Amino acid sequence: MSEDLGVMVRLILFKRRMSQKELAYIVGISNAYLSDIINGRKNGPKAQELIKHIKKILGV
């Protein structure tokens, strides 16, 4: 996930008063794995599919 997208995800979560842990639960992954995706530490094929899913959930 690009740095800009990571910032956008955090902003949307803040505006919705939603925690990263809640988003991870909805996506079906651990909070630690979501954090890795948001911070750009995971970017393989599986992470790319999850990024698409996260964008869809957040309406990005």
Side-chain angles (χ1 to χ4, degrees), residues 1 47-57 60:
M1 186 175 284
Q48 292 301 316
E49 287 300 313
L50 289 169
I51 289 168
K52 290 177 188 176
H53 189 58
I54 292 165
K55 286 180 175 181
K56 189 173 183 179
I57 290 168
V60 176

Side-chain angles (χ1 to χ4, degrees), residues 15-34:
K15 286 181 179 179
R16 293 185 181 183
R17 295 184 178 159
M18 183 180 197
S19 71
Q20 186 174 304
K21 188 174 181 178
E22 291 171 311
L23 178 60
Y25 178 78
I26 292 168
V27 175
I29 58 176
S30 72
N31 188 33
Y33 193 68
L34 177 60

Side-chain angles (χ1 to χ4, degrees), residues 32-45:
Y33 193 68
L34 177 60
S35 178
D36 285 346
I37 291 171
I38 289 173
N39 291 306
R41 291 187 291 265
K42 299 286 185 187
N43 59 6

